[in-house]
Amino acid sequence: MVLFEIQHPMALDAGDALVESLHEHNPWWDDGADAFDLPARHKSDFYHLARPHASGSQFEDQPILALVGRRGVGKTTLLHQFIHHRIDAGDVPEQFLYLPFDANPLYQLQSDEQLARAIRYYESRVYGRAPDDAPQFILLDDIHQIEHANKPTIDGWGTAVADLIDEPSDRHLALTASADVQITRELTDSDVPQDAYDVQPILPEKFRDYLFTLYPDLEEEETRVSPSSIRAGTNSLPAAIDDGNLSGLITELQEKYEKVADAEARIQSQVVEYLAMGGIISYEQDGAVDSARELSDDDYTQLRDNVRTALYQDVPGFESIQTIADLERLCALAARNRATESFRYQELVELFDVDRRTIADSYLPALAELYVLTGVTEYDNSRPRGVRLYLRDTGLVNALADGAPSTVRNDFQREAELARIAAFDHTMRFAYGVNAAHGTDSTPAVKYWRGREGEVDFVFEVGETPVPIALAYRSRTRETALDALQEFQDTYDAPVGFLLAGDTVRGIEPIQQPNDGIIELPYWLYLLLC
């Protein structure tokens, strides 16, 4: 009698998937600086992260640096630009290990063991070729993809990271994720000391980043408009607040305007292009794009799809969110409204069929954590009845509304509405920069304010002093904006306020003081200073 041996299917083994792909993901080990295909330009984030003109880098200030931000914002590119810069500056390629957990779903299976195997391979086969005193950089991209909170037999990535920073002392880790909470929650659960890590948001490209891509000459020393002296120093905004004298700040603003006065026309012409593209589409293009007419509908579709994917992949980590589709609907509502008016909470409650707490304490914080949308309430109102919805990227506004750049470029009213949205995003950055320069690095709160004379678009605080900002993008809105600013200053004894004038608003001088305590400056210059 012949016995047939039963052949069992080969066991599935995903445990070596990451190790087997290490050389593919780290081509600089073989090719050095020639391995990279990167954008010719750097976002402003690169300069404070890599510090190309100084010693060290932000990656080395603590054992762990986490970069968080939306899909497509440029986190991976920043990591590769850092590696390229350091190799180009003389570091050996073997100092850098890059692990992309979103590149292959197999890397996310038994991820704790796969990560340990990859580190063992790197240390035994690659890093040993580096000089003895060379620091190690281990870059874990999209690490939030290997959270396994509902799988108790698999350690979270925080345990592996905590082990990695124990030794050697010259090892530095860089992590990327979509949201701050994805980093802090895992590291806290793994008992990583708070002073062992820093979290750095990476936001869509600012107007100045986009402009410098088109006109590199504006980044030269004699024409570069640096915001540093507005944030700190004898002629800064905080100094003007402290002594109530605006003359030094006005002089500083005038000097910055003079640096680029000859380029004013070409700078102004790019404002509408930036409003049409936003800070993600403009950065993803291959080379400098001087007009949104060069874009296709697919560019906007991809942006919209990336946000939708982020909501469904990343939001499940926010335990309080029950209906993820509501977040997408809330973004669509914000795109249609374009922050032209506030929504009463009761309206949103009825529209989404949820209670107010779900909107205010669940939906809006989740979208803010993902840097997609920020809900803004009225200044000095402890029980606000309404909220204004600001998407954090004008390209996303257009993608969710109609996805056609021509709509923006041919509709001045739409342009003015997008200008307010971009001004809000840049004001958030401005408020953070000013406060960070004085030792406060928490996320700023930017509000709006309604008075009898009109509305102040944005209010943030330096210390405990409010700074009101009103936008007059169209000529007919200038006097109303000025009256609202004056009323706010009289109400709160605010020493400094700003009026941002669009290029159709004609003034005697580009930088002027129309009323005591109010500085008027061009909208485009304000964007450059944020």
Side-chain angles (χ1 to χ4, degrees):
M1 185 171 73
V2 179
L3 297 178
F4 293 94
E5 181 180 353
I6 298 176
Q7 297 292 326
H8 294 282
M10 183 179 296
L12 294 176
D13 181 13
D16 288 327
L18 184 56
V19 167
E20 290 171 353
S21 302
L22 283 185
H23 283 267
E24 174 188 344
H25 296 307
N26 295 265
W28 45 87
W29 293 344
D30 298 317
D31 301 330
D34 294 335
F36 297 88
D37 181 17
L38 295 167
R41 66 192 187 276
H42 294 113
K43 290 174 64 173
S44 54
D45 301 285
F46 169 79
Y47 295 97
H48 64 77
L49 288 171
R51 297 177 191 152
H53 305 300
S55 60
S57 70
Q58 194 172 341
F59 294 92
E60 295 157 274
D61 290 345
Q62 62 289 301
I64 303 170
L65 176 66
L67 308 182
V68 296
R70 284 169 47 193
R71 180 186 296 262
V73 80
K75 303 185 296 295
T76 299
T77 299
L78 283 167
L79 293 182
H80 283 125
Q81 286 175 330
F82 170 68
I83 298 171
H84 176 265
H85 160 69
R86 291 295 289 259
I87 293 175
D88 205 41
D91 283 2
V92 297
E94 291 82 5
Q95 290 177 237
F96 304 91
L97 170 65
Y98 172 72
L99 303 176
F101 289 101
D102 198 36
N104 187 334
L106 291 179
Y107 303 165
Q108 301 161 22
L109 296 173
Q110 299 177 326
S111 53
D112 53 344
E113 180 58 28
Q114 289 216 64
L115 176 58
R117 291 183 189 181
I119 298 297
R120 287 197 297 270
Y121 179 95
Y122 166 69
E123 294 224 304
S124 63
R125 303 287 187 88
V126 179
Y127 181 66
R129 300 197 298 266
D132 291 341
D133 59 348
Q136 258 184 46
F137 295 92
I138 298 178
L139 315 175
L140 308 178
D141 203 2
D142 289 313
I143 198 167
H144 62 292
Q145 296 290 359
I146 57 172
E147 284 185 303
H148 297 294
N150 60 342
K151 297 182 180 181
T153 61
I154 300 178
D155 288 339
W157 59 261
T159 302
V161 165
D163 292 341
L164 284 173
I165 64 172
D166 278 347
E167 57 178 284
S169 59
D170 57 354
R171 174 187 284 159
H172 302 281
L173 273 67
L175 320 176
T176 76
S178 295
D180 188 311
V181 66
Q182 295 166 332
I183 297 294
T184 55
R185 179 177 56 208
E186 186 71 23
L187 294 181
T188 299
D189 290 346
S190 304
D191 296 324
V192 175
Q194 192 169 350
D195 61 0
Y197 65 91
D198 188 23
V199 181
Q200 177 70 50
I202 304 299
L203 301 176
E205 186 175 51
K206 294 189 293 187
F207 177 67
R208 67 180 292 118
D209 295 323
Y210 167 65
L211 192 70
F212 289 164
T213 300
L214 292 175
Y215 307 123
D217 59 300
L218 295 181
E219 219 170 352
E220 300 297 329
E221 182 62 32
E222 62 274 10
T223 54
R224 191 170 191 271
V225 180
S226 171
S228 300
S229 58
I230 303 297
R231 298 171 180 172
T234 56
N235 291 337
S236 66
L237 171 60
I241 290 173
D242 288 342
D243 60 26
N245 185 345
L246 274 61
S247 60
L249 178 57
I250 291 174
T251 297
E252 194 71 24
L253 291 170
Q254 288 173 332
E255 290 178 356
K256 292 184 183 305
Y257 171 80
E258 290 299 327
K259 277 194 165 190
V260 290
D262 292 342
E264 180 174 1
R266 56 177 166 144
I267 295 174
Q268 285 179 342
S269 69
Q270 295 308 137
V271 169
V272 67
E273 307 298 346
Y274 175 79
L275 297 178
M277 288 186 282
I280 288 184
I281 290 180
S282 59
Y283 185 65
E284 287 187 327
Q285 302 306 303
D286 185 14
V289 180
D290 63 0
S291 175
R293 286 176 292 193
E294 299 179 34
L295 303 181
S296 69
D297 291 347
D298 289 344
D299 293 311
Y300 290 88
T301 300
Q302 183 64 53
L303 180 60
R304 184 174 64 246
D305 289 346
N306 281 348
V307 170
R308 179 181 293 120
T309 300
L311 293 180
Y312 283 91
Q313 284 189 353
D314 299 333
V315 170
F318 296 79
E319 291 83 355
S320 60
I321 304 297
Q322 301 299 319
T323 308
I324 297 174
D326 276 353
L327 301 186
E328 188 177 358
R329 295 163 187 147
L330 200 57
C331 291
L333 192 64
R336 181 181 178 86
N337 174 260
R338 292 187 289 279
T340 54
E341 57 187 16
S342 300
F343 290 98
R344 288 188 301 110
Y345 277 114
Q346 188 57 37
E347 291 177 318
L348 297 175
V349 164
E350 294 171 359
L351 194 60
F352 288 89
D353 194 24
V354 295
D355 58 28
R356 172 174 169 153
R357 181 176 297 178
T358 298
I359 298 288
D361 299 337
S362 181
Y363 287 4
L364 293 178
L367 289 168
E369 282 275 2
L370 293 171
Y371 306 99
V372 172
L373 180 148
T374 301
V376 178
T377 55
E378 190 172 3
Y379 182 74
D380 196 25
N381 187 342
S382 59
R383 293 185 61 83
R385 295 184 177 181
V387 62
R388 186 158 293 178
L389 305 179
Y390 277 99
L391 289 163
R392 296 299 301 274
D393 175 51
T394 55
L396 181 57
V397 177
N398 297 324
L400 291 172
D402 47 39
S406 59
T407 305
V408 181
R409 303 179 74 262
N410 300 330
D411 184 342
F412 189 55
Q413 177 61 33
R414 172 77 72 91
E415 178 185 334
E417 292 165 356
L418 292 172
R420 184 190 300 109
I421 293 171
F424 169 78
D425 175 71
H426 281 63
T427 298
M428 288 281 286
R429 303 171 192 241
F430 183 48
Y432 177 83
V434 170
N435 282 285
H438 293 265
T440 303
D441 58 0
S442 58
T443 302
V446 176
K447 309 281 189 175
Y448 69 92
W449 184 79
R450 284 199 182 103
R452 293 184 304 275
E453 300 298 329
E455 187 170 292
V456 173
D457 296 279
F458 316 117
V459 181
F460 68 91
E461 292 185 348
V462 177
E464 297 182 352
T465 302
V467 179
I469 300 174
L471 176 62
Y473 199 75
R474 308 182 71 168
S475 278
R476 60 182 173 81
T477 62
R478 181 180 183 275
E479 293 306 317
T480 301
L482 196 56
D483 291 342
L485 275 176
Q486 190 66 64
E487 182 185 0
F488 182 93
Q489 291 186 296
D490 293 342
T491 303
Y492 294 98
D493 195 26
V496 184
F498 294 98
L499 179 65
L500 312 182
D503 56 16
T504 64
V505 180
R506 290 296 177 187
I508 300 172
E509 297 291 339
I511 312 293
Q512 56 181 311
Q513 188 174 353
N515 291 349
D516 289 343
I518 297 176
I519 301 174
E520 183 174 345
L521 70 159
Y523 174 82
W524 60 264
L525 181 61
Y526 177 74
L527 295 189
L528 283 183
L529 291 170
C530 291

